[in-house]
Amino acid sequence: MRKSGILSRHYIHRGLFQRRMWFFYSYSKVKLESVTVNVTIQDFVADVVSELFFRNVEPVSLETMFIFPVDSNTVVHSFYATMGDTRIEAMLCEKEEAQQLCKATAGMENLRYLQDQRDLWGPVFACFLGTLPPNMDVTISLCYVQELPLQPDGAAQFCWPHELLPQSNFFSWMSSEGEISENLHFNICLKSAHGVSHVAINSRHTPLQYTAPDQTSAEVSLKSSPRMYSDLNVLVYYRGPHTLSAVVERRDPKAPPGSLLGDPVVMVTLMPDIPEEVPNPGQPGEFLFLMDRSLFQDAQNTLLFLLKSLPLGCYFNIYSFGATFNAFYPQSVEYTQESMDNAVGRISSICPDLGGCDLLGLLRSIYSTPHLHGHARQLFIFIQRKISSEEEAVMAEVYRYRDHHRCFCFPTNSCDSFNLSQAMALETKGECVCLHSKMDMTSEAVKCLQRALQPMASGISLHWDLPPGLEVSMIRKAPEVIFQGHQSSIYAQIHGQAQDAEVGEGSVTLQYHVGSQSFDYTLRFSLSPSSDGRLPVHRMAMMHLLWKLAWEGTSRAEKDIQHSAVKSSLSVGVLSPFTSNVAVRMKQRDAQHCDSLPPDSSMLVSPSCNLVPCQLLWLRGFQPVWFKSTKFWVVQKCQFCLEMLGHKAPDTEALTQLSASSKEQEPSPEEQMMEEPPAFDTSWDWTISPLSTRLCDLSRLRVVVALQKANGSWALTAALASALGLSKADVEGQRPSKGVQPTAWATVLALVWLYQTKWKVSWLELLEDKACRWLHDQAEVPLDECLEAANSLLGCFVELTVFRI
């Protein structure tokens, strides 16, 4: 769950907020007095029922508003607030009807006020509660379900923000050892067919109490809030292997069979076991580099190092974007010597552009291109300027294809789109790195490329074995690839009636490949699970089904699809692209009557109910409300201070033309379609720190890297010898023997030179790996003899481990 944000710039108090009116003379706030939370965690889905009790402790009335951040893995399905004998309840309506109702709703300027605040960014559920008199209580009831992320050690993580917990100071926290806080009632129920092993919670809690003999269910309660204003983090560990997990949820007996609610639903969490080392990694992927043209001068070195670090057999493309966008190739091309040389030569053709930023159009163009089977699509997005007001549309596109690609985002420290970059990376399970220098850009980009090249599970398929009479209909399919350390949850509806009622089990088998290795795991699950009627799995499945219907609704039978989606959305209280929130204010006696009625317009406009501003809003501030890493900001500030001390180091040497270092090649089909690529730019400038200037001559490093071939080798040329600080005559004269090919000797020399440079510049490992693989593929190269000669010629003492032996 993302943490709540802040509404007022004057103070921080999250969850319930109040507008600070012009006539208030003091910083006022509503106090969170007590909390009651019941969480049921079953494998990797959480069902949360919470009540928050606030009180206006100020001597003046306050306008109050409740906001709750949501993300693509969270479904808020119930909200109401109680103040005295008044109850405000959020309901769903068909979208057009809700829009008409909102036009007639007084106080909509309160939500517009929230959108204008610069302290929040991202989607939130917001409801304006009205005026809260002095010493008046307000009770917030909030229910939601959520998919839980997988931690590296296999735990399911549940997070609750500290702003929605009653706080006590450090001394009272220390002195109340063993005592249970009277204003905190936080109970957690744990369930798993694997068995619950243990929990780790960053606050005092009761011992884990098992409620089933086979330890498949347990309970734990908090004794106090976490200390020092920390978020509550609950890590749940399950027994046995974690490759497959299945949660089956019974049907709603009130719903007609055949509908989503009227059939059982199964949630299967896939956590493939991916080895760290794979002998034959197979097809390495599709790498797309998206470069903001306003970063033209800073990014040329980064693109060079990224292109040189790619493995043979992958596919790649380079896009530049500004007010418009351009691609090096109509679609991704295979990484070969010819395509690499062409791309390196075309880097200089990227023209600076300080206009608009059409990232949305570029992403739509990329997503519309055919996906290369077996090649995981990974985007590297370098951005410096703001995406105007299209953040919500960008995130909708990213969410739609989140199972088909991964984003590594690199916003600059002055970038207004950092929040969007962070959201894109989180949504696709990528990474977002804030850049503070041009040197930092290359280093961080190559580090992310190393992560992108790690082994992954591909060719993923699920095979079901159910009793006769039952069949499975997929709601959310398995992704094409799952990256190392990640998980993916799929949802399926179980149709039909079992012919043999005594057969109460089914099974699912996961099959996938990692390189040339094949894996398969089978999990048996019960078809008669216990159920408390709250339907958390059905709600998550409904969310995915509604988005699927929204994307399909642009073509055939659009009206029928929308009608079905609206009906399903209203039946389970899950927001969809076809529905919207409204809220009504009513007396408690009317609320009891309305609980039994569906939300229709006749009820909403009845005399006893008043419409209340309540919507899912996209806020466009500057602070991402789910950001949790304090360490990141500390590192960011330190790097910024170091950057202020930096200076621009002049280049002492220029890059030699690439054409002088390699033989002429026949043009590839892609090159024949394009004009002659411009010459390789040799006048790049690089801002680096004084320490790095003393440690490494980066102009020589750029020459060595530029001369490396796509397969990882180097040709024995005068340009390479000069970059290594040698003459060609010395290099040729010190060749160990006539039997050593010049290319092998040049590759050993360059590899040794890079190896002794690596401790000064950290992003050379991928280049070294390519060189080592090429050397290993050469027959009868005396590596020990070549290394001895290279050490003598370069004046260093590199050991045989340089060859990854």
Side-chain angles (χ1 to χ4, degrees):
M1 184 187 71
R2 293 192 285 113
K3 290 172 56 178
S4 304
I6 54 176
L7 178 61
S8 171
R9 299 184 185 183
H10 304 286
Y11 56 86
I12 300 178
H13 187 74
R14 310 184 180 197
L16 190 68
F17 308 96
Q18 62 283 342
R19 289 184 56 176
R20 185 171 181 269
M21 305 303 289
W22 64 272
F23 53 84
F24 287 170
Y25 293 98
S26 63
Y27 295 161
S28 54
K29 69 177 183 178
V30 178
K31 182 181 179 182
L32 178 61
E33 292 200 328
S34 64
V35 168
T36 299
V37 182
N38 291 290
V39 184
T40 300
I41 297 176
Q42 188 164 4
D43 288 350
F44 289 90
V45 62
D47 182 18
V48 183
V49 180
S50 61
E51 282 193 332
L52 313 172
F53 300 89
F54 295 89
R55 178 182 294 272
N56 179 11
V57 297
E58 297 296 321
V60 294
S61 297
L62 302 174
E63 282 192 292
T64 55
M65 183 182 298
F66 182 85
I67 71 170
F68 183 77
V70 294
D71 55 28
S72 60
N73 292 323
T74 302
V75 175
V76 176
H77 60 86
S78 177
F79 169 84
Y80 62 88
T82 304
M83 295 182 289
D85 64 346
T86 300
R87 168 169 156 148
I88 296 175
E89 183 171 357
M91 299 180 181
L92 286 180
C93 278
E94 192 274 332
K95 198 161 193 174
E96 293 183 2
E97 182 180 7
Q99 291 174 348
Q100 293 298 322
L101 292 171
C102 288
K103 290 180 180 179
T105 302
M108 285 299 293
E109 70 277 1
N110 292 287
L111 297 188
R112 288 190 286 270
Y113 166 86
L114 178 61
Q115 284 189 300
D116 291 339
Q117 299 309 294
R118 298 290 296 169
D119 297 331
L120 282 172
W121 185 93
V124 298
F125 169 85
C127 185
F128 181 69
L129 303 180
T131 302
L132 186 63
N135 206 38
M136 173 67 76
D137 294 330
V138 55
T139 301
I140 303 292
S141 295
L142 177 72
C143 302
Y144 67 91
V145 295
Q146 180 183 47
E147 287 182 12
L148 300 182
L150 173 72
Q151 296 304 296
D153 59 358
Q157 182 190 29
F158 173 79
C159 179
W160 183 267
H162 74 269
E163 293 87 354
L164 297 183
L165 289 168
Q167 297 296 325
S168 57
N169 59 46
F170 176 76
F171 296 103
S172 63
W173 193 94
M174 293 295 293
S175 61
S176 59
E177 185 71 33
E179 298 179 2
I180 298 178
S181 175
E182 294 183 356
N183 58 354
L184 175 66
H185 308 277
F186 208 112
N187 302 311
I188 305 171
C189 177
L190 310 173
K191 298 179 181 179
S192 176
H194 290 285
V196 179
S197 173
H198 61 283
V199 295
I201 306 177
N202 63 335
S203 70
R204 294 200 308 275
H205 56 87
T206 61
L208 189 66
Q209 298 289 330
Y210 290 104
T211 55
D214 56 0
Q215 299 185 347
T216 55
S217 64
E219 291 182 351
V220 65
S221 299
L222 299 189
K223 289 185 175 181
S224 65
S225 302
R227 72 172 89 182
M228 303 299 289
Y229 296 95
S230 299
D231 296 336
L232 172 67
N233 278 289
V234 180
L235 299 179
V236 186
Y237 296 86
Y238 303 113
R239 301 187 187 280
H242 300 144
T243 304
L244 268 180
S245 171
V247 177
V248 181
E249 191 169 80
R250 284 183 176 177
R251 61 180 293 270
D252 184 354
K254 301 177 183 178
S259 65
L260 181 63
L261 289 178
D263 284 337
V265 169
V266 56
M267 170 186 173
V268 180
T269 304
L270 314 177
M271 299 158 283
D273 183 14
I274 301 176
E276 292 288 341
E277 299 292 336
V278 180
N280 180 13
Q283 297 171 319
E286 179 189 17
F287 301 92
L288 307 180
F289 305 108
L290 285 60
M291 185 60 63
D292 187 336
R293 284 198 286 266
S294 65
L295 287 167
F296 164 70
Q297 294 297 332
D298 304 344
Q300 297 187 65
N301 289 283
T302 299
L303 285 177
L304 170 68
F305 275 80
L306 288 172
L307 282 173
K308 291 290 182 174
S309 300
L310 291 176
L312 285 173
C314 75
Y315 283 75
F316 77 99
N317 205 348
I318 297 177
Y319 299 84
S320 62
F321 64 93
T324 59
F325 60 87
N326 297 292
F328 277 23
Y329 306 100
Q331 56 187 3
S332 298
V333 296
E334 186 176 358
Y335 182 77
T336 63
Q337 183 66 43
E338 293 79 12
S339 62
M340 184 199 72
D341 284 345
N342 181 272
V344 170
R346 287 171 60 85
I347 290 176
S348 301
S349 68
I350 301 176
C351 299
D353 178 2
L354 301 178
C357 189
D358 189 19
L359 179 61
L360 177 60
L362 174 54
L363 289 176
R364 285 174 173 168
S365 175
I366 291 174
Y367 295 151
S368 65
T369 59
H371 193 87
L372 297 171
H373 179 69
H375 290 268
R377 176 172 286 177
Q378 306 193 67
L379 276 59
F380 288 69
I381 305 174
F382 301 85
I383 187 168
Q384 180 166 257
R385 48 192 150 183
K386 186 169 179 62
I387 315 297
S388 63
S389 59
E390 296 179 330
E391 294 97 337
E392 187 173 3
V394 169
M395 285 308 304
E397 289 295 312
V398 172
Y399 173 77
R400 180 175 183 177
Y401 296 96
R402 65 174 181 164
D403 290 333
H404 304 286
H405 75 298
R406 180 164 63 166
C407 293
F408 294 91
C409 300
F410 306 90
T412 62
N413 62 334
S414 58
C415 177
D416 290 329
S417 295
F418 171 78
N419 303 329
L420 179 65
S421 300
Q422 179 81 359
M424 293 169 64
L426 288 174
E427 193 64 60
T428 59
K429 300 180 181 178
E431 188 170 341
C432 178
V433 181
C434 189
L435 303 176
H436 298 275
S437 71
K438 303 163 197 177
M439 185 173 182
D440 186 46
M441 179 186 295
T442 304
S443 173
E444 296 300 336
V446 174
K447 287 178 184 177
C448 286
L449 181 59
Q450 283 182 296
R451 180 181 169 192
L453 289 170
Q454 290 176 348
M456 66 190 71
S458 61
I460 299 168
S461 62
L462 289 176
H463 303 275
W464 302 85
D465 182 12
L466 299 179
L470 296 179
E471 60 181 8
V472 165
S473 174
M474 299 302 296
I475 297 173
R476 185 187 184 191
K477 297 181 180 179
E480 293 188 3
V481 297
I482 298 179
F483 300 100
Q484 196 171 54
H486 290 165
Q487 72 188 62
S488 180
S489 294
I490 66 100
Y491 295 86
Q493 184 176 353
I494 302 177
H495 297 284
Q497 183 71 36
Q499 297 178 6
D500 187 353
E502 295 183 358
V503 180
E505 279 193 337
S507 68
V508 59
T509 299
L510 168 67
Q511 295 181 342
Y512 62 94
H513 303 281
V514 180
S516 60
Q517 302 180 31
S518 297
F519 298 85
D520 63 89
Y521 294 91
T522 299
L523 175 70
R524 301 198 63 82
F525 54 84
S526 172
L527 293 171
S528 302
S530 60
S531 176
D532 56 7
R534 294 192 49 80
L535 305 174
V537 176
H538 278 80
R539 296 185 195 276
M540 293 301 305
M542 180 67 76
M543 180 193 70
H544 292 289
L545 177 62
L546 291 172
W547 276 100
K548 179 181 176 181
L549 292 175
W551 296 327
E552 293 176 350
T554 57
S555 56
R556 58 176 179 79
E558 183 172 355
K559 290 297 182 181
D560 292 339
I561 291 176
Q562 288 191 14
H563 178 74
S564 174
V566 169
K567 185 177 179 180
S568 299
S569 177
L570 298 180
S571 66
V572 75
V574 173
L575 188 67
S576 77
F578 307 111
T579 54
S580 184
N581 287 111
V582 295
V584 293
R585 181 187 291 110
M586 62 193 83
K587 299 299 182 181
Q588 285 283 28
R589 61 180 182 274
D590 298 319
Q592 296 175 1
H593 174 67
C594 291
D595 284 342
S596 61
L597 298 176
D600 55 41
S601 57
S602 62
M603 182 198 71
L604 295 176
V605 297
S606 60
S608 61
C609 299
N610 296 320
L611 294 177
V612 175
C614 176
Q615 286 184 8
L616 183 69
L617 298 177
W618 184 273
L619 307 184
R620 297 184 290 271
F622 64 84
Q623 180 174 334
V625 290
W626 62 82
F627 198 78
K628 301 176 182 177
S629 175
T630 304
K631 180 180 180 182
F632 176 89
W633 291 107
V634 174
V635 173
Q636 174 179 318
K637 292 178 181 179
C638 293
Q639 289 179 341
F640 178 75
C641 293
L642 291 175
E643 178 67 16
M644 295 296 291
L645 300 175
H647 72 284
K648 184 161 289 189
D651 282 333
T652 58
E653 300 180 42
L655 283 173
T656 307
Q657 295 291 335
L658 288 178
S659 57
S661 65
S662 60
K663 297 180 180 180
E664 294 186 0
Q665 304 280 348
E666 289 294 326
S668 64
E670 292 84 3
E671 293 173 315
Q672 294 175 1
M673 296 172 57
M674 299 179 298
E675 60 185 9
E676 184 70 16
F680 189 66
D681 189 359
T682 62
S683 59
W684 295 348
D685 217 1
W686 210 347
T687 300
I688 55 178
S689 68
L691 180 60
S692 297
T693 305
R694 294 195 301 270
L695 291 178
C696 181
D697 185 351
L698 291 172
S699 61
R700 292 172 58 189
L701 174 62
R702 291 199 298 272
V703 174
V704 174
V705 171
L707 294 176
Q708 188 180 26
K709 295 184 178 298
N711 62 9
S713 66
W714 279 266
L716 187 55
T717 62
L720 177 64
S722 176
L724 299 179
L726 306 168
S727 68
K728 187 176 182 182
D730 290 339
V731 172
E732 290 180 339
Q734 292 293 325
R735 184 150 49 115
S737 65
K738 297 295 184 181
V740 178
Q741 294 297 319
T743 301
W745 170 232
T747 301
V748 170
L749 272 176
L751 178 60
V752 171
W753 188 87
L754 287 178
Y755 187 81
Q756 65 176 351
T757 306
K758 187 173 64 173
W759 70 275
K760 309 167 188 177
V761 180
S762 61
W763 58 84
L764 302 177
E765 187 171 345
L766 289 177
L767 302 178
E768 294 176 2
D769 288 341
K770 290 178 69 172
C772 289
R773 284 195 298 270
W774 183 85
L775 286 171
H776 292 167
D777 291 338
Q778 308 310 304
E780 299 179 356
V781 176
L783 294 179
D784 52 351
E785 186 178 347
C786 290
L787 179 61
E788 183 179 354
N791 278 331
S792 175
L793 191 59
L794 295 173
C796 55
F797 302 95
V798 176
E799 298 180 353
L800 274 173
T801 53
V802 69
F803 300 118
R804 309 291 198 268
I805 297 177

